[in-house]
Amino acid sequence: MFSLPLLYFLFRHHVTAPLNVLNHAHEELRQGNECYRIEALPSSSDFVTAYDSFNTMADTLQHLRLENINKELASKQLQLSNLQLQIRPHFLLNTLNLLYALVQSHQETPAQDMILYLSNYFRYMFRSGNNLSMFDHEMALIKEYLHVSSFKYPDAFDISYQINPCISMVRVPALLLHNFVENIISHSLVPGRVIHIVFYAEYEDKTVTIQISDDGRGMTPENVEMINNADFHDIPDGMHVGIRNSIKRLKYHYGQKASLEVESELNMGSTFTICFPYDLEEKIL
């Protein structure tokens, strides 16, 4: 028969000591030492799995924490980029110059509409930040923008909408679609010709497809290839900021299955197609 001292020694060596190692390891994690791992070999084979489980758990926790930190940093960077994209000196100067011209020519109603649009624009931008916004809210601002743009470019464009009603329940990155419409007004209009804009949105098989088309100036094959390949390495940082930011935001909110592609020909127009996965039933529930 084993003597009591021997039993005590064996119990302490094979049970108490390994448990103390585990308790110490958990305390290290609790104190914030996320790099701590159990390196000692257990004195009992029964604790091999326990030590391995602790180390695996610690690795997973550290990975998740770093993943969350990186995701938060990405979110803040996207929010900053979006604010930098929206608060543009030339946008404000052009808008204020137009507003001044309307006031000088005593066009009170258009001037009031311009002031209301600017107010709604900045309210929408600062409230939304980098969050997702209801599609209908985005469309309301787009229609306001096109209305005030007609003051500067009368009879220069028209627009038609082909939108599946259920799209109204979809949430999209704030101002992302607005940027594409604004880009048409800024770069695709042709003097002396009416440009036709088509805004199409469909939901099918848990996928949202949005197309924004125009028959204006179009783009060079080089620019089309660059956008479709998302390869902006060889151009200055200040160029195509809106497209770069749009691609990043789509990937951030909807994952790698989200896509942005363009078809375009010079003097024939362009079609931007935005696709991303979206489960309306899940969102509604």
Side-chain angles (χ1 to χ4, degrees), residues 250-267:
L250 284 169
K251 299 292 185 183
Y252 175 79
H253 287 293
Y254 306 115
Q256 292 304 309
K257 290 185 178 181
S259 63
L260 188 156
E261 296 181 352
V262 61
E263 296 179 12
S264 183
E265 291 185 33
L266 284 174
N267 303 315

Side-chain angles (χ1 to χ4, degrees), residues 146 153 155-161 184-185 189 193-199 213-215:
L146 291 171
Y153 304 106
D155 303 318
F157 63 89
D158 62 28
I159 184 166
S160 61
Y161 301 95
I184 292 175
I185 301 302
L189 298 186
R193 179 157 73 87
V194 177
I195 299 303
H196 306 286
I197 305 169
V198 179
F199 197 108
S213 305
D214 70 85
D215 57 359

Side-chain angles (χ1 to χ4, degrees), residues 2 27 29-30 56-57 67 97 102 120 124 131 137 141 147 174 184 191 206 210 213 217 227 243 251 253 256 261 280:
F2 289 106
E27 182 63 20
L29 282 187
R30 194 183 71 81
T56 300
M57 177 195 70
E67 189 176 71
N97 285 337
L102 293 172
N120 290 336
Y124 179 69
N131 297 318
H137 295 168
L141 193 68
H147 174 62
I184 292 175
K206 297 183 179 180
I210 298 172
S213 305
R217 295 182 183 276
I227 292 171
I243 298 295
K251 299 292 185 183
H253 287 293
Q256 292 304 309
E261 296 181 352
L280 264 178

Side-chain angles (χ1 to χ4, degrees), residues 213-279:
S213 305
D214 70 85
D215 57 359
R217 295 182 183 276
M219 302 168 58
T220 65
E222 292 77 15
N223 280 336
V224 171
E225 183 179 3
M226 176 183 61
I227 292 171
N228 288 337
N229 293 332
D231 183 5
F232 304 100
H233 294 93
D234 297 330
I235 64 172
D237 290 340
M239 292 183 62
H240 297 292
V241 176
I243 298 295
R244 299 187 204 190
N245 192 39
S246 296
I247 294 172
K248 289 180 180 179
R249 297 178 74 198
L250 284 169
K251 299 292 185 183
Y252 175 79
H253 287 293
Y254 306 115
Q256 292 304 309
K257 290 185 178 181
S259 63
L260 188 156
E261 296 181 352
V262 61
E263 296 179 12
S264 183
E265 291 185 33
L266 284 174
N267 303 315
M268 296 294 291
S270 304
T271 296
F272 281 90
T273 301
I274 299 166
C275 292
F276 53 85
Y278 201 92
D279 191 338

Side-chain angles (χ1 to χ4, degrees), residues 57-285:
M57 177 195 70
D59 288 339
T60 302
L61 289 174
Q62 186 177 36
H63 174 75
L64 289 174
R65 178 177 173 276
L66 291 174
E67 189 176 71
N68 288 334
I69 289 175
N70 290 334
K71 188 173 183 179
E72 182 66 20
L73 288 173
S75 175
K76 295 299 183 183
Q77 184 59 47
L78 282 171
Q79 186 171 6
L80 177 61
S81 297
N82 194 45
L83 290 176
Q84 290 173 336
L85 176 65
Q86 305 314 321
I87 308 176
R88 291 159 294 175
H90 77 271
F91 171 80
L92 288 175
L93 287 174
N94 290 341
T95 306
L96 292 175
N97 285 337
L98 176 57
L99 178 60
Y100 177 78
L102 293 172
V103 172
Q104 284 292 95
S105 58
H106 304 289
Q107 299 184 57
E108 294 183 2
T109 300
Q112 291 171 355
D113 290 347
M114 177 66 74
I115 292 171
L116 284 175
Y117 164 71
L118 281 174
S119 175
N120 290 336
Y121 179 93
F122 285 108
R123 184 184 299 113
Y124 179 69
M125 180 179 69
F126 286 114
R127 282 183 179 177
S128 301
N130 193 46
N131 297 318
L132 299 175
S133 180
M134 295 297 293
F135 178 86
D136 280 358
H137 295 168
E138 182 88 357
M139 288 307 301
L141 193 68
I142 286 173
K143 291 177 179 179
E144 277 192 74
Y145 170 73
L146 291 171
H147 174 62
V148 298
S149 295
S150 67
F151 303 152
K152 185 175 183 180
Y153 304 106
D155 303 318
F157 63 89
D158 62 28
I159 184 166
S160 61
Y161 301 95
Q162 302 173 21
I163 300 175
N164 186 322
C166 67
I167 292 290
S168 63
M169 303 299 294
V170 170
R171 291 184 176 272
V172 296
L175 292 170
L176 182 139
L177 304 178
H178 185 286
N179 293 335
F180 285 96
V181 175
E182 184 187 339
N183 191 63
I184 292 175
I185 301 302
S186 299
H187 303 294
S188 296
L189 298 186
V190 179
R193 179 157 73 87
V194 177
I195 299 303
H196 306 286
I197 305 169
V198 179
F199 197 108
Y200 169 91
E202 181 62 85
Y203 175 76
E204 188 175 7
D205 296 331
K206 297 183 179 180
T207 300
V208 172
T209 301
I210 298 172
Q211 289 185 329
I212 304 172
S213 305
D214 70 85
D215 57 359
R217 295 182 183 276
M219 302 168 58
T220 65
E222 292 77 15
N223 280 336
V224 171
E225 183 179 3
M226 176 183 61
I227 292 171
N228 288 337
N229 293 332
D231 183 5
F232 304 100
H233 294 93
D234 297 330
I235 64 172
D237 290 340
M239 292 183 62
H240 297 292
V241 176
I243 298 295
R244 299 187 204 190
N245 192 39
S246 296
I247 294 172
K248 289 180 180 179
R249 297 178 74 198
L250 284 169
K251 299 292 185 183
Y252 175 79
H253 287 293
Y254 306 115
Q256 292 304 309
K257 290 185 178 181
S259 63
L260 188 156
E261 296 181 352
V262 61
E263 296 179 12
S264 183
E265 291 185 33
L266 284 174
N267 303 315
M268 296 294 291
S270 304
T271 296
F272 281 90
T273 301
I274 299 166
C275 292
F276 53 85
Y278 201 92
D279 191 338
L280 264 178
E281 294 181 6
E282 180 182 280
K283 301 295 182 183
I284 293 174
L285 294 176

Side-chain angles (χ1 to χ4, degrees), residues 28-42:
E28 288 287 337
L29 282 187
R30 194 183 71 81
Q31 295 293 334
N33 184 6
E34 61 183 34
C35 295
Y36 187 85
R37 301 292 184 273
I38 299 176
E39 297 181 355
L41 294 176

